[in-house]
Amino acid sequence: MNGTALWLHGLSIIAPGLPDWAHAAPVLRGEQAWAHAPSVLPPAEALPAAERRRASRAVRVALALGLHALQGHDPGEVATVFTSSGADGHNCHALCEQLAGEDRAISPTRFHNSVHNAAAGYWGIATRSMAPSQVLCAHDGSLGAGWIDALGQLACDGGELLLVAYDSEYPEPLHTCRPVPDAAGVAFWLGTTPREQSLGTLRTTLVTDDPEAMAQAPLDALRTDFPALRCLPLLERIARRDERPVVIDYLAPQRLRVQFTPADHEHQQPRPAHAA
């Protein structure tokens, strides 16, 4: 958290109207208008058939985000941090519905999908990864908590790490209490040394400044509706190759100030960072 540069090798996004980074980047640059559409969740093809049938919306969005961010790199080699404000809302609803009825027997599948680390477990099955995995939840600050944990691991251990932040909706009546409108999330492939395709570097410091809002009202609604999308202003900076620091939400009064410096791919070095 002292502003040490970490390399950004890849990233991904799935959100309403933003099915992937290729579609999101021109919207974030203001070149295309955002149009509402339900989140597109790819099938969990990496899972065996039995697990694929059981994979929830939360699992599908988390797996797709991680695999897209890694851009074909062997996922089994990369440590992971999964962070979510609530994980599988539909499974939670089904368990509550079952317990509210006369037959309170819970199926083993429902039970093992109810734990907060289910997505990380399915990731291990899909990728056969034996790399370390961390799972976090900090309500609306879950993205920030995952970010800090990822930076801490890289500072201590070096190497590379995949951060996946995701959310999924709850059916009614829980939806009224927690109105997340759809499934969505982001993923960042981070490392301490550059790769040929690295996008640039990220420097993070803790501050108490107000978080930055998006200039486009529909995009700012995504930022506030989904805890996992609190970093949308940072994604806008990356899409625009804009080096100005941005403050993203965490747990008040703490915020994260992140500065993206685009890579000079000819020499694979970041351009000199502007003063934060």
Side-chain angles (χ1 to χ4, degrees):
M1 298 300 296
N2 60 356
T4 301
L6 291 175
W7 287 92
L8 175 63
H9 304 319
L11 76 163
S12 62
I13 182 171
I14 294 174
L18 305 172
D20 53 39
W21 179 245
H23 289 84
V27 174
L28 293 169
R29 289 193 294 266
E31 299 168 359
Q32 297 180 12
W34 177 83
H36 181 270
S39 292
V40 179
L41 305 185
E45 297 291 352
L47 287 171
E51 282 75 18
R52 194 182 313 142
R53 288 192 298 271
R54 300 177 184 132
S56 67
R57 288 172 57 78
V59 167
R60 287 169 60 196
V61 73
L63 291 183
L65 287 165
L67 292 173
H68 289 172
L70 289 174
Q71 305 174 16
H73 180 75
D74 183 359
E77 299 177 354
V78 183
T80 54
V81 173
F82 289 87
T83 184
S84 176
S85 69
D88 189 349
H90 286 271
N91 194 63
C92 180
H93 170 85
L95 288 172
C96 291
E97 195 172 48
Q98 186 75 28
L99 293 172
E102 294 183 1
D103 180 6
R104 298 185 178 183
I106 301 297
S107 79
T109 298
R110 285 285 181 204
F111 178 75
H112 83 241
N113 281 332
S114 71
V115 295
H116 192 72
N117 65 349
Y122 278 102
W123 175 266
I125 295 170
T127 66
R128 296 182 173 86
S129 175
M130 299 295 288
S133 183
Q134 190 80 288
V135 182
L136 300 172
C137 176
H139 194 57
D140 285 349
S142 293
L143 181 278
W147 190 272
I148 291 172
D149 189 88
L151 268 57
Q153 289 194 50
L154 288 168
C156 292
D157 302 329
E160 296 182 348
L161 185 143
L162 175 69
L163 170 64
V164 182
Y166 62 98
D167 293 305
S168 176
E169 75 281 7
Y170 289 90
E172 292 289 5
L174 293 173
H175 181 79
T176 298
C177 300
R178 186 62 170 162
V180 175
D182 203 338
V186 294
F188 297 87
W189 178 17
L190 304 169
T192 54
T193 57
R195 284 180 169 269
E196 183 178 353
Q197 79 276 19
S198 297
L199 301 174
T201 59
L202 297 164
R203 292 175 172 84
T204 305
T205 52
L206 276 174
V207 296
T208 56
D209 303 341
D210 291 335
E212 184 169 321
M214 303 291 291
Q216 302 179 58
L219 294 180
D220 200 54
L222 292 180
R223 180 185 71 88
T224 57
D225 287 346
F226 294 94
L229 299 184
R230 296 290 197 263
C231 61
L232 266 183
L234 172 61
L235 296 187
E236 182 180 64
R237 294 284 202 276
I238 295 170
R240 293 176 179 269
R241 295 176 62 82
D242 186 339
E243 298 181 50
R244 292 175 300 155
V246 62
V247 177
I248 59 178
D249 212 357
Y250 179 39
L251 295 174
Q254 295 185 101
R255 317 283 190 222
L256 302 176
R257 183 172 64 191
V258 185
Q259 182 172 19
F260 172 69
T261 303
D264 177 353
H265 284 282
E266 183 178 354
H267 303 98
Q268 199 53 81
Q269 294 292 329
R271 298 203 296 269
H274 292 171

